[in-house]
């Protein structure tokens, strides 16, 4: 019997006292849970409960007027994880539909990181949108367009945006509508700026939660979920949240490169590692110009980085 079931059988705390809520942030001091009326309550968790992530739907109870307690995590439709101390794996965000990978001319884009995100999303069945923010600052437009054309050919939506000038934001709004999305990318690319430019009440939740949790500062130190006026939710995450790769095998990584999939069955050997193996269909496709050489190079680097090559 799980801790949750045991608890459900406890007569002293009837099920009816439980309220449903959504975890909107993971603060140092506890969880920020939004109740069914849109009120945010700071909660702690039952010790036996597994790690709770932003986006989780939970059942919580009121311990006192100020604090709640998360009693149970409701089933997730998706989860992104990251490695944690002691070889453990922790959830980063739950119930997502897609990731918006944000890059910008400044800081210099890290396309290996982009591919790491896309592979993780493919593995978890999440959609991908690639957003180039600060587009008004792009010096070599042709080069950016060329890079994006590789990702467009694979099938990913690519947007050129500016949180400052508002360029492209209607397209972003459209891509986010009715979905739960998370912004991911290097620190300083403008994830929070984009979030703010999409919300009517700027920084509302950041300020409210900072006050409630006694942080007294407004920084992106924790992932935070916002409701979009058009419907749908947006999670702003801090800095480079590395996620998704912890539970992937080398074969999962290859499968995470969507454009490899049509070639994979044609490799001569079932256990082909696509690293120069004899009769490798991926390598042949790269040489024939059917698969982008840059993506393949980064596939090799990603395997090496994950100690799978
Ligand atoms: N020129 C220009 N600057 C921008 C734009 N969007 C954001 N910035 C600037 O980029 C800097 C970083 O923006 P943030 O929104 O804090 O970046 P972030 O991705 O949330 O960073 P972390 O929270 O550290 O991960 C700020 O100085 C912004 O003013 C844009 O469209 N154009
Ligand atoms: Mg930020
Ligand atoms: Zn192969």
């Amino acid at each position: 019997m799980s801790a949750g079931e045991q608890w459900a059988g406890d007569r002293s705390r009837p099920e009816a006292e439980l309220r449903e809520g959504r975890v909107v942030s993971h603060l140092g001091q506890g969880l920020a849970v939004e109740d069914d009326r849109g009120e945010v309550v700071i909660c702690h968790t039952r010790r036996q409960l597994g790690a709770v992530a932003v986006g989780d739907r939970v059942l919580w109870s009121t311990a006192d007027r100020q604090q709640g307690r998360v009693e149970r995590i409701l089933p997730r439709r998706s989860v992104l994880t990251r490695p944690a101390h002691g070889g453990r794996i922790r959830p980063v965000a739950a119930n997502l539909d897609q990731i918006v990978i944000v890059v910008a001319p400044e800081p210099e884009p890290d396309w290996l990181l982009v591919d790491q995100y896309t592979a993780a999303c493919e593995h978890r069945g999440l959609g991908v949108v690639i957003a180039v923010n600060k587009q008004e600052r792009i010096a070599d437009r042709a080069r950016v367009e060329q890079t994006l054309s590789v990702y467009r050919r694979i099938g990913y939506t690519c947007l050129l945006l500016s949180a400052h000038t508002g360029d492209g934001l209607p397209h972003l709004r459209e891509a986010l509508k009715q979905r739960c999305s998370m912004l991911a990318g290097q620190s300083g690319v403008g994830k929070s700026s984009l979030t703010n430019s999409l919300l009517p009440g700027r920084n509302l939740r950041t300020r409210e939660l900072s006050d409630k949790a006694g942080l007294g500062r407004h920084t992106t130190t924790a992932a935070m979920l916002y409701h979009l006026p058009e419907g749908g939710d947006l999670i702003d995450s801090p800095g480079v949240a590395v996620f998704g790769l912890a539970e992937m095998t080398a074969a999962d990584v290859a499968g995470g490169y969507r454009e490899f999939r049509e070639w994979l069955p044609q490799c001569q050997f079932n256990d082909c590692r696509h690293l120069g193996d004899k009769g490798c269909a991926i390598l042949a496709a790269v040489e024939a110009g059917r698969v982008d050489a840059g993506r393949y190079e980064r596939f090799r680097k990603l395997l090496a980085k994950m100690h799978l090559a």
Side-chain angles (χ1 to χ4, degrees), residues 102 106 133-137 161-165 185-194 219-221 236-240:
V102 185
E106 173 62 34
N133 187 36
K134 312 189 191 183
Q135 71 100 19
E136 83 282 5
R137 302 282 284 269
L161 309 170
S162 172
H164 280 191
T165 68
Q186 291 155 274
S187 185
V189 292
K191 299 177 296 295
S192 299
S193 306
L194 287 169
T219 52
T220 320
T221 50
D236 180 19
S237 74
V240 187

Side-chain angles (χ1 to χ4, degrees), residues 120-131:
C121 288
E122 293 290 346
H123 182 61
R124 290 295 184 163
L126 300 178
V128 170
V129 173
I130 297 173

